[in-house]
Amino acid sequence: MGNPVLGIKNLKKKFGDHEVLKDISFSVKKGEVVVVLGPSGCGKSTLLRCINALESIQGGEIFLDREKISGNVKNLHKIRQKIGMVFQSYDLFPHMNVLRNVTLAPEKAQHRPKEEVEKEAEELLHRVGLADKKDAYPRQLSGGQKQRAAIVRALCMHPEVMLFDEVTASLDPEMVREVLDVMLEMAKEGRTMVIVTHEMQFAKAVADRIIFMDQGNIIEEGSPKEFFEHPKTERARQFLNVFEFEA
Amino acid sequence: MQDLGISVLFQGDNFIRLMGGLWITIRISLISVLFSMIFGVILGIIMMWKNPVTKVITKIYLEFIRIMPQLVLLFLVYFGSAKHFGWDFSGEMASIIVFVFWGTAEMGDLVRGALGSISIHQIESGKALGLTGGQIYWYVLIPQAVKRLIPQAMNLVTRMIKTTSLIVLIGVVEVVKIGQQMIEAARLTQPSAALWIYGVIFFLYFIICYPVSVLAAHLEKKWKD
Amino acid sequence: MDWNFIIQYSGLYKEAAFLTLRIACMGIFGSLILGLICGMIRYYKVPVLSRITGIYIELSRNTPLLIQLFFLYFGLPKIGIILESETCAVAGLVFLGGSYMAEAFRSGMEAVDSVQTESGLSLGLTKKQVWFYILLPQAAAIAIPGIGANVIFLIKETSVFSIVALMDLMHVAKDLIGLYYKTDEALLMLVTAYLVILLPISIIFMFLERRLRFAGSGD
């Protein structure tokens, strides 16, 4: 594993008077898969949104490739091209077919030639098992297929880091697996990923490192083995207990 | 220096006359609104009937009234009825008749929409709780329908008030006509009167309609689930 | 019913109908553009401009077109702004229609889930690209029923154009009633003319609306 790709220093985020992120610092190395866990409302989704500048931040700094990207409003769209993000709610563009969903940004934002982008898009769709769905519209897809297409859409931009915001939370249980498999595959390929999820088994399998958050702070950080088997803090133990029945 | 045209408004009893004209406008609106609301509720309920005959008749009535410009309807009643039925309506009477016919159609559609918008689920949960049909209507359907209906009905009222401006074109002496008389009378002494008088009438309509619109928007927001 | 009279004067109605349609088209086109601009200003809450647009929308929606036209046609010349009949009619229609279209576009844009904009941004598209490729197409589809209702409303409103001395349908009808006392014939042709103009348009929008509803807009 290489140099830090993503660095976050003393990040603070407030909604009005409410401090959602109090003082967050961590970094993600190249090829590393970091899973962020924590109870609802702990700020983990907000954290991802701040990294991608979908939320303004009230303090701290964010670095990508050692370059400070927070506060750099002018080239926001350039920076976002290097950060892929997949959301919880199905976010494919409903008025475009799957292929167009994937090729829009590479063509319009990165000005890459159409043929090249389409060729790559079809390859990627093939790899996630959606080769036959490239002409389908999002409404014709299942939830799992939509999320796989959304992942391809982000991948086609060649991002340096991928952010996943509870991408399986709205899925029917039988579709969760097909999406997680795609992500697992990506992890094996050595992609840099930051994943927010509630799927504990998946977190255990995919993560190189777990970050546990509560009430806007990072409470614990460590390898999945350490975290799941020997949590250091009481709060982490309580959190893991909630999932006991499920596991 | 040229006299400011607005002074026309304060010459003699001009202002009072203009207000008198405004009152005629408002009176016609109020009468039309009152009857439209009553007949509209009845029409809306009739439109909910499953009877194919009433369905077709109400549909044709509704579509014809809504597709015709209100001024055409005014012409039909004002010019047409006098000739055919020998009824010599005053312009004011013809206006009220047209606005009631039109207002009833619009209101009927709103009532039908409001009643139809309440989900079957609501009726079923009422039944599941052991409420009678009448009780379901009174405690479940009507309160929900009314909350949906009132803001829309208020918007209809502002539309009706704005539409009353048309009646000057069939010779009713109301606020616009009186304004025109003043402009005519001041043609030589204050040539710019037209700007001011029409400006004032513009704001008179605004002052009446705006509060109703604001209240309607407020209620709609407040009652939105 | 005097059919010869109808045949004799139907040409006048045809001319008047085309005049009405021509002005309505220009007015509606202008309304769509003004409405789109104002709708965007309201949606993005552009400082200052949003406030001004809000005032315009309230003024336009809470006053009758007839009075707006009187003001434009008879009032403005007093301060040296002289508009021709047709210009006046189009300007009045745009002033009125712009606010209605603005509300249709704004509510259309507001109805598009914010995650659509966010995922566009997170893909690295610029704000303009997100608006053009993602927000606008979806908002326009949602706004179609509202736009259709506005189009029909605006065409109906053209019936007051006779007051700015245009030979429109109402003007022709009124002349024929006044000159020849052919009330029935004049009114019949008037109603027919408006039906011929408005029925197809209303059916087209009904069809569009139904198609959009069945197509759905994804999840």
Side-chain angles (χ1 to χ4, degrees):
Chain A
M1 250 166 245
N3 299 318
V5 177
L6 185 69
I8 289 153
K9 251 193 199 144
N10 308 107
L11 178 65
K12 289 185 184 66
K13 167 73 195 169
K14 283 184 201 166
F15 286 117
D17 284 339
H18 179 58
E19 270 195 309
V20 188
L21 299 174
K22 284 170 187 155
D23 187 15
I24 301 287
S25 300
F26 69 95
S27 62
V28 182
K29 284 185 277 229
K30 190 164 172 51
E32 193 180 20
V33 177
V34 172
V35 173
V36 183
L37 298 175
S40 313
C42 70
K44 53 197 192 303
S45 285
T46 308
L47 173 64
L48 292 195
R49 294 170 59 84
C50 288
I51 295 172
N52 213 358
L54 293 172
E55 303 283 353
S56 61
I57 60 176
Q58 275 70 53
E61 290 165 319
I62 302 171
F63 299 88
L64 187 69
D65 282 338
R66 297 177 190 281
E67 193 188 335
K68 189 174 160 215
I69 60 169
S70 49
N72 186 357
V73 183
K74 208 178 156 201
N75 285 318
L76 213 50
H77 66 280
K78 295 265 184 218
I79 293 158
R80 282 177 176 141
Q81 289 171 19
K82 299 182 191 171
I83 305 174
M85 183 158 181
V86 186
F87 296 77
Q88 171 184 345
S89 53
Y90 312 133
D91 57 329
L92 290 180
F93 307 130
H95 56 300
M96 300 173 183
N97 66 22
V98 170
L99 188 67
R100 189 68 187 136
N101 258 284
V102 177
T103 58
L104 178 77
E107 267 181 47
K108 301 300 172 191
Q110 292 178 324
H111 307 289
R112 281 153 59 189
K114 193 174 160 141
E115 301 78 43
E116 178 211 306
V117 174
E118 277 186 0
K119 193 162 160 269
E120 186 185 348
E122 284 179 33
E123 265 170 40
L124 286 168
L125 285 171
H126 179 76
R127 274 169 55 194
V128 302
L130 289 176
D132 55 334
K133 296 288 182 194
K134 70 184 171 77
D135 296 320
Y137 280 83
R139 63 174 178 276
Q140 297 163 313
L141 302 183
S142 72
Q145 290 169 331
K146 280 184 214 177
Q147 288 301 61
R148 281 184 279 155
I151 293 171
V152 167
R153 186 175 65 177
L155 274 180
C156 205
M157 293 293 288
H158 307 152
E160 294 182 25
V161 53
M162 287 277 292
L163 312 176
F164 295 86
D165 186 8
E166 303 196 34
V167 290
T168 57
S170 323
L171 293 180
D172 290 334
E174 71 269 22
M175 290 169 182
V176 169
R177 186 60 194 256
E178 64 190 51
V179 176
L180 296 184
D181 280 344
V182 168
M183 290 164 69
L184 216 49
E185 197 62 35
M186 288 168 64
K188 279 187 204 150
E189 286 168 12
R191 288 197 181 270
T192 316
M193 297 155 78
V194 180
I195 301 170
V196 166
T197 186
H198 280 123
E199 303 284 338
M200 292 302 142
Q201 296 298 329
F202 170 66
K204 220 184 270 185
V206 79
D208 294 312
R209 184 153 49 106
I210 301 275
I211 288 178
F212 174 67
M213 283 178 66
D214 192 20
Q215 296 179 342
N217 286 308
I218 293 180
I219 307 290
E220 236 185 281
E221 219 180 319
S223 73
K225 197 171 158 62
E226 271 170 29
F227 178 76
F228 284 104
E229 286 168 23
H230 310 288
K232 289 185 284 248
T233 59
E234 181 57 31
R235 263 187 277 178
R237 271 192 289 276
Q238 277 174 6
F239 173 75
L240 288 171
N241 272 339
V242 175
F243 288 91
E244 281 287 284
F245 281 112
E246 234 178 62
Chain B
M1 200 185 108
Q2 199 193 10
D3 199 358
L4 265 184
I6 193 148
S7 60
V8 173
L9 204 57
F10 303 105
Q11 272 164 13
D13 57 355
N14 271 2
F15 188 72
I16 311 230
R17 277 175 60 211
L18 201 64
M19 287 300 123
L22 187 65
W23 169 240
I24 294 169
T25 301
I26 293 173
R27 191 178 62 201
I28 291 174
S29 308
L30 285 180
I31 296 171
S32 311
V33 164
L34 180 72
F35 284 106
S36 300
M37 296 290 138
I38 296 169
F39 295 146
V41 170
I42 297 170
L43 177 69
I45 292 169
I46 291 176
M47 283 163 78
M48 297 292 282
W49 292 354
K50 303 268 184 272
N51 184 327
V53 179
T54 57
K55 268 207 147 111
V56 170
I57 293 173
T58 50
K59 183 89 185 155
I60 291 174
Y61 164 62
L62 190 76
E63 292 302 325
F64 178 77
I65 293 274
R66 294 180 80 180
I67 211 167
M68 276 296 126
Q70 285 86 36
L71 190 56
V72 173
L73 299 176
L74 279 171
F75 269 41
L76 283 180
V77 172
Y78 187 65
F79 293 113
S81 68
K83 188 172 174 214
H84 269 276
F85 307 104
W87 300 336
D88 194 13
F89 289 136
S90 66
E92 196 173 332
M93 194 63 204
S95 321
I96 291 174
I97 290 170
V98 166
F99 291 146
V100 170
F101 261 95
W102 168 57
T104 300
E106 295 282 0
M107 186 66 188
D109 199 43
L110 294 182
V111 169
R112 188 197 49 159
L115 286 174
S117 70
I118 294 152
S119 68
I120 306 263
H121 196 73
Q122 289 283 317
I123 300 170
E124 282 174 349
S125 13
K127 279 185 191 157
L129 288 167
L131 296 177
T132 66
Q135 285 170 327
I136 291 174
Y137 247 88
W138 188 247
Y139 292 108
V140 182
L141 291 188
I142 291 180
Q144 293 186 50
V146 163
K147 279 188 176 175
R148 222 183 114 99
L149 192 57
I150 285 180
Q152 294 174 329
M154 288 170 74
N155 282 328
L156 176 59
V157 170
T158 65
R159 279 171 67 200
M160 292 180 75
I161 294 172
K162 283 185 286 176
T163 309
T164 53
S165 65
L166 297 179
I167 63 183
V168 68
L169 301 180
I170 57 165
V172 180
V173 179
E174 41 64 85
V175 65
V176 182
K177 187 74 203 170
I178 289 174
Q180 288 174 338
Q181 289 168 354
M182 288 178 198
I183 293 165
E184 191 58 24
R187 199 160 42 103
L188 295 175
T189 49
Q190 274 119 354
S192 67
L195 179 75
W196 294 96
I197 298 283
Y198 285 129
V200 167
I201 294 172
F202 180 88
F203 277 100
L204 285 177
Y205 270 100
F206 180 76
I207 288 165
I208 296 169
C209 293
Y210 180 62
V212 184
S213 303
V214 170
L215 188 61
H218 172 75
L219 289 178
E220 196 177 346
K221 212 173 186 177
K222 188 175 151 193
W223 285 336
K224 204 172 167 192
D225 299 320
Chain C
M1 199 64 71
D2 182 349
W3 296 104
N4 283 331
F5 181 85
I6 290 185
I7 292 163
Q8 192 184 342
Y9 285 98
S10 59
L12 270 184
Y13 276 89
K14 212 159 111 189
E15 241 170 72
F18 277 117
L19 177 77
T20 299
L21 267 180
R22 198 177 72 229
I23 294 175
C25 281
M26 289 192 281
I28 288 164
F29 183 70
S31 305
L32 283 170
I33 292 175
L34 181 64
L36 190 57
I37 294 168
C38 291
M40 280 173 69
I41 290 173
R42 297 290 285 168
Y43 176 79
Y44 288 109
K45 302 195 172 67
V46 182
V48 187
L49 281 182
S50 180
R51 183 68 61 85
I52 296 169
T53 311
I55 294 172
Y56 153 64
I57 289 174
E58 293 301 342
L59 279 178
S60 151
R61 286 177 73 98
N62 287 297
T63 52
L65 176 62
L66 186 76
I67 312 295
Q68 295 166 6
L69 286 176
F70 273 133
F71 186 79
L72 288 177
Y73 193 66
F74 297 107
L76 285 188
K78 308 299 175 195
I79 49 170
I81 304 170
I82 299 169
L83 300 175
E84 270 181 71
S85 294
E86 282 200 18
T87 321
C88 211
V90 173
L93 212 55
V94 172
F95 179 82
L96 178 75
S99 67
Y100 284 82
M101 295 298 185
E103 292 297 276
F105 281 119
R106 184 189 54 81
S107 59
M109 287 192 265
E110 276 170 8
V112 178
D113 197 325
S114 61
V115 78
Q116 288 286 318
T117 302
E118 287 177 354
S119 49
L121 288 175
S122 75
L123 283 168
L125 295 168
T126 62
K127 271 190 179 176
K128 275 185 208 146
Q129 287 172 328
V130 168
W131 180 79
F132 185 75
Y133 293 109
I134 296 165
L135 198 53
L136 182 65
Q138 295 184 60
I142 297 169
I144 286 244
I147 290 172
N150 291 344
V151 165
I152 290 164
F153 162 72
L154 289 175
I155 296 176
K156 283 166 68 179
E157 288 286 306
T158 62
S159 63
V160 301
F161 284 167
S162 60
I163 64 125
V164 293
L166 282 177
M167 261 315 247
D168 76 332
L169 288 166
M170 302 305 296
H171 209 200
V172 170
K174 207 172 170 185
D175 274 1
L176 293 186
I177 294 171
L179 290 174
Y180 305 105
Y181 296 104
K182 295 280 188 189
T183 312
D184 288 346
E185 291 79 2
L187 292 177
L188 178 72
M189 283 192 279
L190 179 67
V191 169
T192 312
Y194 272 109
L195 280 180
V196 167
I197 295 174
L198 286 164
L199 258 185
I201 295 172
S202 106
I203 289 168
I204 288 170
F205 275 109
M206 232 159 63
F207 175 75
L208 271 179
E209 191 183 338
R210 199 163 295 176
R211 250 193 64 165
L212 285 169
R213 205 175 329 137
F214 287 141
S217 57
D219 229 315

